[in-house]
C-alpha cells in the first residue's frame, strides 16, 4: 500500500506542415465579396488586407493571403499565397440626343470601350424602340479577362404632336379653291398632295378622281412631327 511518484517530460514533435493550397481565381476589382476556399485541411482561418472572416474584398487590389491551421496536437501551421485582382474596365457612355416616339427604331452607339452590349426596356440587340417612352439604358462591356463594368444613360423620348386632318367633302372640278386650314386641329403646319398650293386645294390642278391630301405639323420645341391624311374624290 506504499505510494511513490516521479516526474517525466513528454516532447511534442509537430508534424510537417499539412496545408495544401488550391489555385485561386483571378478576381475583378469590382466583384462582390469573395469567399476564400483555397486552404486545406478545412477548419483554418484566413488573414490579410481585405480579409474579413472567411471573405475577401477585391476592391483592395492584389494581396498576400495567409491560411492558418492548427492540427489535432495544437501545432500551428500557416501558408501564404497571392490573390490577384484585375482592374475592371472603365466604361462610359456619351449623351444620347432626345428623339420622338414615332421616329422609328434607333441604332444605339456612344458606349466606350466599343464592343459592349445594351440592355433595358425597348432594347433589342444594338437597337432601341422609342415607342416605349423615356428609358434608362445600360451599356455593359466585358474585357479579355472576363471583367465587366457598366454605365447607364437616360434617353428622353418626346411625344409626337396629335394631328387631326379630317372632314373635307368631295368636290367638283368647278367648285373653286378650298381653304384646308379649317379642317385641322392645330395650325402652323404644311399641306401637301396633288392640287395643293400653300394652304389651299385647287381641284382644277389635281384633276378628277381620288386625291389624298396630307397635313404635317412639327412641334417647334421638340422638333417632333406628325402627319394625318384625308382622301376625297374630285
Amino acid at each position: 500500500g506504499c505510494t511513490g511518484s516521479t516526474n517525466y517530460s513528454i516532447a511534442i514533435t509537430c508534424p510537417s506542415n499539412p496545408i495544401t493550397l488550391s489555385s485561386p481565381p483571378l478576381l475583378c476589382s469590382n466583384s462582390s465579396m469573395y469567399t476564400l476556399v483555397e486552404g486545406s485541411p478545412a477548419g483554418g482561418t484566413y488573414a490579410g488586407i481585405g480579409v474579413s472572416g472567411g471573405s475577401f474584398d477585391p476592391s483592395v487590389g492584389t494581396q498576400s493571403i495567409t491560411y492558418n491551421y492548427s492540427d489535432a496536437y495544437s501545432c500551428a501551421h500557416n501558408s501564404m499565397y497571392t490573390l490577384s485582382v484585375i482592374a475592371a474596365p472603365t466604361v462610359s457612355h456619351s449623351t444620347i440626343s432626345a428623339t420622338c416616339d414615332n421616329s422609328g427604331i434607333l441604332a444605339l452607339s456612344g458606349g466606350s470601350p466599343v464592343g459592349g452590349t445594351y440592355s433595358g426596356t425597348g432594347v433589342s440587340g444594338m437597337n432601341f424602340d422609342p415607342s416605349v417612352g423615356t428609358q434608362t439604358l445600360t451599356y455593359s462591356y466585358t474585357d479579355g479577362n472576363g471583367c465587366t463594368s457598366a454605365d447607364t444613360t437616360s434617353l428622353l423620348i418626346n411625344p409626337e404632336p396629335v394631328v387631326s386632318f379630317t372632314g373635307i367633302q368631295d368636290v367638283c372640278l368647278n367648285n373653286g379653291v378650298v381653304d384646308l386650314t379649317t379642317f385641322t386641329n392645330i395650325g402652323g403646319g404644311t399641306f401637301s398632295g396633288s392640287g395643293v398650293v400653300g394652304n389651299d386645294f385647287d381641284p382644277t390642278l389635281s384633276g378628277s378622281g381620288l386625291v389624298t391630301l396630307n397635313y404635317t405639323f412639327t412641334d417647334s420645341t421638340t422638333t417632333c412631327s406628325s402627319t394625318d391624311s384625308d382622301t376625297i374624290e374630285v
Side-chain angles (χ1 to χ4, degrees):
C2 297
T3 299
S5 65
T6 187
N7 297 323
Y8 67 100
S9 298
I10 298 176
I12 303 297
T13 302
C14 291
S16 59
N17 191 345
I19 295 176
T20 58
L21 298 169
S22 60
S23 297
L26 291 176
L27 301 178
C28 302
S29 59
N30 62 347
S31 298
S32 57
M33 293 291 286
Y34 169 70
T35 300
L36 298 165
V37 294
E38 288 73 35
S40 180
T45 59
Y46 295 88
I49 296 175
V51 175
S52 177
S55 298
F56 172 74
D57 184 357
S59 66
V60 299
T62 297
Q63 299 295 335
S64 294
I65 307 299
T66 301
Y67 183 66
N68 300 297
Y69 174 77
S70 293
D71 62 20
Y73 306 101
S74 297
C75 293
H77 306 277
N78 63 75
S79 290
M80 183 178 293
Y81 65 100
T82 299
L83 197 52
S84 298
V85 178
I86 302 171
T90 300
V91 174
S92 62
H93 202 288
S94 60
T95 301
I96 302 178
S97 300
T99 189
C100 306
D101 58 6
N102 64 341
S103 60
I105 299 300
L106 174 68
L108 296 171
S109 63
S112 178
V114 297
T117 59
Y118 289 90
S119 61
T121 301
V123 174
S124 176
M126 299 292 288
N127 297 317
F128 173 74
D129 184 356
S131 67
V132 299
T134 296
Q135 300 293 334
T136 297
L137 309 182
T138 299
Y139 178 74
S140 302
Y141 175 81
T142 301
D143 64 17
N145 297 310
C147 293
T148 300
S149 293
D151 190 25
T152 59
T153 183
S154 294
L155 179 52
L156 176 63
I157 307 300
N158 292 312
E160 63 176 305
V162 178
V163 175
S164 175
F165 181 44
T166 60
I168 307 175
Q169 302 298 312
D170 294 342
V171 297
C172 300
L173 279 172
N174 61 348
N175 278 159
V177 173
V178 178
D179 180 4
L180 298 177
T181 60
T182 60
F183 302 101
T184 63
N185 67 323
I186 185 171
T190 58
F191 297 93
S192 61
S194 178
V196 173
V197 178
N199 293 331
D200 299 324
F201 170 66
D202 186 348
T204 62
L205 297 178
S206 69
S208 61
L210 294 177
V211 178
T212 297
L213 306 177
N214 309 299
Y215 178 68
T216 300
F217 174 81
T218 301
D219 189 304
S220 60
T221 301
T222 65
T223 68
C224 292
S225 297
S226 185
T227 300
D228 193 21
S229 301
D230 198 7
T231 299
I232 63 172
E233 183 173 5
V234 178

